[in-house]
Amino acid sequence: TIRIDAHLYPDLVPDLAHTTAVADLTVEEGRLARFGPLHAMADFMGDKDLDNVRFGELKNTFTFRDGALHIPEMQINSTLGYMHLSGKQSMDLTMDYTMRVPLGLVKQASWNAVKSKLRGTGRNRDEEQELERADAEIISGQKGALKGYLTVNITGDPDNYKVKLGKSKDQR
């Protein structure tokens, strides 16, 4: 179901800056082929196949307003495992996504590579503490006591994006 409130120019071209759309969507047996935001997380995902990610039923209500698609948090059961995704994507391809990935998906070797990259970027004290918290959770998760998710923020556009650790919901 899609509801659209569109401002149209005289030639019937929609003015997207003044258009609002709400879509209640259900996708069954979906697939993401070479999806850029997932490739941006390659360092976090270890040896997973990111070119062809399949997922089961997905239900959500997407809203298009102010020239951007807004995605409320949704849980996705995919060939990568369970993850949560929320964020927005503008018409100019600017993205601001938050993904929460179960710590069980994060491989130790991949985590060590990501950690060394993150440490070399001049992080502030809060970011360092978040890095240490995530590190402690991964270590405890590898001992069989999975405790949570690794939160990752992806911002920018497909040609120039940043991937960084985010804060877990209980720390916001």
Side-chain angles (χ1 to χ4, degrees):
T1 305
I2 301 174
R3 294 175 303 279
I4 300 174
D5 180 18
H7 176 264
L8 300 175
Y9 291 109
D11 60 357
L12 299 181
V13 173
D15 177 3
L16 295 179
H18 295 96
T19 295
T20 301
V22 177
D24 295 317
L25 300 177
T26 301
V27 177
E28 296 176 356
E29 298 180 28
R31 180 173 76 98
L32 292 174
R34 296 175 301 281
F35 186 57
L38 279 178
H39 279 279
M41 291 183 51
D43 288 340
F44 291 92
M45 303 302 276
D47 58 356
K48 300 286 186 177
D49 178 11
L50 300 178
D51 285 331
N52 185 25
V53 177
R54 291 174 291 128
F55 55 91
E57 183 178 89
L58 178 66
K59 286 184 175 187
N60 207 344
T61 301
F62 299 89
T63 304
F64 181 85
R65 69 176 179 277
D66 302 324
L69 177 65
H70 298 264
I71 305 167
E73 185 170 342
M74 60 184 159
Q75 180 175 314
I76 303 168
N77 181 14
S78 72
T79 53
L80 297 175
Y82 287 99
M83 66 181 72
H84 296 258
L85 171 72
S86 63
K88 70 178 183 176
Q89 173 98 29
S90 298
M91 293 301 293
D92 65 359
L93 299 181
T94 301
M95 60 186 148
D96 183 3
Y97 291 117
T98 299
M99 295 185 80
R100 294 187 321 127
V101 181
L103 292 175
L105 286 178
V106 180
K107 305 288 187 204
Q108 183 64 42
S110 298
W111 176 246
N112 287 336
V114 168
K115 191 168 59 170
S116 67
K117 284 183 186 177
L118 291 173
R119 283 220 163 95
T121 60
R123 310 192 77 66
N124 67 34
R125 181 70 181 136
D126 288 341
E127 291 170 321
E128 281 292 328
Q129 287 176 338
E130 181 66 15
L131 186 60
E132 292 303 321
R133 181 204 57 78
D135 196 31
E137 284 186 7
I138 287 172
I139 291 168
S140 66
Q142 289 177 344
K143 293 177 184 170
L146 184 61
K147 296 195 179 207
Y149 288 83
L150 178 67
T151 304
V152 179
N153 297 109
I154 304 169
T155 56
D157 61 52
D159 296 323
N160 184 21
Y161 57 84
K162 289 183 181 181
V163 178
K164 66 179 187 171
L165 284 177
K167 293 197 184 259
S168 60
K169 282 189 169 188
D170 59 337
Q171 291 184 320
R172 289 182 190 165

